[in-house]
Amino acid sequence: MYFKTSAVAATAVLATSALAQSGNSLVDVISGNSDLSTLTALLTNGTFGNFSSLVNTLSNSTNGNWTIFAPSNSAFDGVQITNSTDLSSILSYHTINGSHPSSQFKDGSNIVATNLTNSTYDHFPSGGVPLNVKVSGNTVNVYYGANYANVTSADNTASNGVVHVINTVLIPPTDVNSTALQAGLDKFVYALNSTNSTDGINKKSGITIFAPNDGAFSSDALAKYNSSQLANILAYHVVEGLYFSSNLTNLTSPINITTEAGQNFTLDVSGGSVKLTDVSGNNTAHVVKTDILTDNGVIHVIDSILIPAQNASSVAANNTNITSSTSGVGSLFESREISRVAVALTVLSAFAALML
Ligand SMILES: *[C@@H]1O[C@H](CO)[C@@H](O)[C@H](O)[C@H]1NC(C)=O
Ligand SMILES: *[C@@H]1O[C@H](CO)[C@@H](O)[C@H](O)[C@H]1NC(C)=O
Ligand SMILES: *[C@@H]1O[C@H](CO)[C@@H](O)[C@H](O)[C@H]1NC(C)=O
Ligand SMILES: *[C@@H]1O[C@H](CO)[C@@H](O)[C@H](O)[C@H]1NC(C)=O
Ligand SMILES: *[C@@H]1O[C@H](CO)[C@@H](O)[C@H](O)[C@H]1NC(C)=O
Ligand SMILES: *[C@@H]1O[C@H](CO)[C@@H](O)[C@H](O)[C@H]1NC(C)=O
Ligand SMILES: *[C@@H]1O[C@H](CO)[C@@H](O)[C@H](O)[C@H]1NC(C)=O
Ligand SMILES: *[C@@H]1O[C@H](CO)[C@@H](O)[C@H](O)[C@H]1NC(C)=O
Ligand SMILES: *[C@@H]1O[C@H](CO)[C@@H](O)[C@H](O)[C@H]1NC(C)=O
Ligand SMILES: *[C@@H]1O[C@H](CO)[C@@H](O)[C@H](O)[C@H]1NC(C)=O
Ligand SMILES: *[C@@H]1O[C@H](CO)[C@@H](O)[C@H](O)[C@H]1NC(C)=O
Ligand SMILES: *[C@@H]1O[C@H](CO)[C@@H](O)[C@H](O)[C@H]1NC(C)=O
């Protein structure tokens, strides 16, 4: 909704920064909406930095067209903004290049790159931490990390783009383990940590993770594996490259996907469900939740654990794929030289927790 009543007051604020411009620019649309007065204040009152250059960009259509997911006033309740780099990153994460009215988004997931390219946050090869604009009938939600915002007022059209009002401030995801925890994947995160795989997976760029849910870890299927084997099993669930659901739904025949464990699994789509089959053919998993975006890739939740076909002694040798990776600074498997005793102890404690 566009609340005309506040336009005069908001224009006065902008006039003081000498950036006011008659017309229907993104700045006019934002400052003219009383439900966006906090955002307007953040852009113009200088408390958390000087955003006059951004305001200028958004005022002048010669600078390009933009789509803004604009958090409403109540969206800022409880959000701690402490400084300008913080706010600047958050604002970039709410901005996408080009004018994208809601009619441009197809039903289902739409992965869009934001203007957030700061390397502290952006670990995507193509640049720009993505959001997932998910459409279902008349409902539009913006998914970020394991969370989402509702679009409460779509298509506030400006001469240089469009504003969609949302009810939550989008906070960029920080790492795989944090996003996975927020998604309720506690046992997967515990398994990453217990095998010292967390740093390795966090340092990757542009990956797809098929993360088993907690239910998948409840069987004793993993009890016979030691820590380094478990690390390899986890690596078997990580794939170089970005496979969003939109890349997978159109498959007409099964495809082989090479994992970070150096072995393939098969991915097949039939009857609307995505099925993964490991090399043995004995273990299958189904994707139960798609497109959880993190800072370096995408997580799909699966309902079972896949096992790479290799015996314990060959595990380390087969891991060259990940240890020699150009994008990974670390390895998913950092401590192979640990003693058997240490492994046994770690594994016992790891599985005590995994089996909870
Ligand atoms: C500027 O706006 C922000 C957000 O509404 C507010 O927290 C801050 O107190 C304002 N600062 C001034 C000086 O008005
Ligand atoms: C818009 O930007 C262009 C190029 O930067 C500049 O020449 C022009 O004066 C600006 N217009 C206004 C109204 O600020
Ligand atoms: C912005 O969009 C308008 C309308 O689609 C188009 O005519 C214009 O060229 C675009 N401007 C820029 C700088 O891309
Ligand atoms: C800005 O705020 C963020 C988040 O609160 C914090 O991590 C960062 O250290 C702060 N930077 C400066 C320069 O104060
Ligand atoms: C988006 O990022 C580019 C490159 O950093 C910058 O030039 C542009 O002004 C940004 N646009 C907005 C609306 O923040
Ligand atoms: C990127 O973000 C970090 C953390 O907020 C900040 O310290 C840094 O100045 C930012 N870099 C740029 C180029 O804005
Ligand atoms: C927000 O979106 C969720 C998921 O689509 C929906 O269940 C909920 O009712 C929406 N909330 C509001 C306030 O629109
Ligand atoms: C992660 O593993 C380390 C040992 O490698 C352990 O000290 C730490 O408590 C674990 N953290 C969590 C959250 O499980
Ligand atoms: C993980 O790293 C910690 C600290 O380097 C080490 O004590 C522990 O044994 C390692 N665990 C495994 C399973 O490699
Ligand atoms: C995620 O893992 C990193 C190590 O890569 C660690 O510093 C951070 O505390 C972890 N976050 C959570 C929420 O466990
Ligand atoms: C998935 O599709 C996008 C475009 O929609 C493309 O950029 C990307 O490369 C595809 N991923 C893979 C792994 O082919
Ligand atoms: C998948 O198929 C739909 C409908 O045929 C099409 O609109 C879409 O672009 C396709 N996606 C990819 C990644 O090929």
Side-chain angles (χ1 to χ4, degrees):
M1 280 295 109
Y2 191 98
F3 296 98
K4 296 264 182 209
T5 44
S6 72
V8 173
T11 304
V13 171
L14 290 172
T16 61
S17 58
L19 294 164
Q21 189 187 337
S22 63
N24 192 35
S25 73
L26 287 164
V27 169
D28 296 317
V29 168
I30 291 169
S31 62
N33 185 333
S34 65
D35 199 24
L36 301 177
S37 58
T38 300
L39 178 61
T40 303
L42 289 170
L43 286 169
T44 55
N45 79 7
T47 301
F48 299 107
N50 181 346
F51 290 95
S52 58
S53 152
L54 174 61
V55 170
N56 211 7
T57 299
L58 299 177
S59 302
N60 188 333
S61 59
T62 59
N63 299 317
N65 295 314
W66 309 94
T67 300
I68 314 255
F69 293 105
S72 66
N73 292 343
S74 61
F76 282 101
D77 289 349
V79 174
Q80 292 291 317
I81 287 167
T82 52
N83 58 56
S84 63
T85 49
D86 203 18
L87 180 55
S88 167
S89 309
I90 289 174
L91 293 173
S92 308
Y93 191 46
H94 287 73
T95 306
I96 57 181
N97 201 348
S99 184
H100 303 279
S102 57
S103 59
Q104 271 193 16
F105 297 112
K106 65 178 172 15
D107 223 57
S109 286
N110 297 268
I111 310 293
V112 293
T114 69
N115 221 37
L116 179 55
T117 53
N118 181 322
S119 62
T120 301
Y121 304 90
D122 181 17
H123 307 113
F124 285 83
S126 51
V129 182
L131 293 169
N132 180 9
V133 181
K134 234 175 181 172
V135 179
S136 169
N138 286 329
T139 308
V140 183
N141 289 315
V142 181
Y143 282 74
Y144 62 106
N147 308 301
Y148 66 83
N150 299 74
V151 172
T152 52
S153 168
D155 300 326
N156 300 274
T157 307
S159 54
N160 57 340
V162 61
V163 175
H164 305 300
V165 179
I166 54 176
N167 66 352
T168 302
V169 175
L170 313 173
I171 305 292
T174 51
D175 47 41
V176 171
N177 47 316
S178 302
T179 304
L181 278 181
Q182 284 170 22
L185 301 168
D186 299 45
K187 291 181 179 176
F188 176 68
V189 172
Y190 188 90
L192 288 176
N193 183 60
S194 72
T195 55
N196 287 339
S197 299
T198 309
D199 273 353
I201 204 169
N202 281 345
K203 283 173 181 154
K204 294 258 132 196
S205 168
I207 53 172
T208 304
I209 302 164
F210 292 90
N213 62 14
D214 280 4
F217 283 100
S218 65
S219 76
D220 62 358
L222 291 177
K224 56 178 178 263
Y225 301 103
N226 68 28
S227 182
S228 82
Q229 290 171 318
L230 176 56
N232 197 56
I233 290 169
L234 292 170
Y236 191 53
H237 293 76
V238 179
V239 176
E240 199 83 46
L242 293 166
Y243 293 86
F244 301 108
S245 64
S246 50
N247 296 83
L248 303 175
T249 46
N250 284 7
L251 294 179
T252 49
S253 57
I255 55 167
N256 280 320
I257 293 191
T258 305
T259 70
E260 295 285 22
Q263 291 188 30
N264 294 351
F265 60 71
T266 307
L267 189 146
D268 194 5
V269 180
S270 62
S273 90
V274 180
K275 188 174 82 173
L276 282 56
T277 307
D278 65 15
V279 226
S280 73
N282 295 328
N283 299 296
T284 60
H286 288 89
V287 174
V288 293
K289 195 171 168 84
T290 59
D291 297 327
I292 298 169
L293 301 177
T294 184
D295 68 314
N296 63 351
V298 57
I299 302 171
H300 304 298
V301 181
I302 58 175
D303 61 359
S304 190
I305 295 171
L306 303 170
I307 308 292
Q310 60 199 157
N311 58 33
S313 58
S314 65
V315 166
N318 282 351
N319 274 333
T320 50
N321 200 29
I322 195 153
T323 47
S324 64
S325 160
T326 49
S327 53
V329 181
S331 161
L332 274 178
F333 319 103
E334 288 168 342
S335 323
R336 301 210 165 279
E337 55 295 306
I338 46 176
S339 72
R340 302 318 281 175
V341 177
V343 168
L345 287 175
T346 311
V347 169
L348 275 179
S349 60
F351 284 105
L354 285 176
M355 299 309 169
L356 283 181

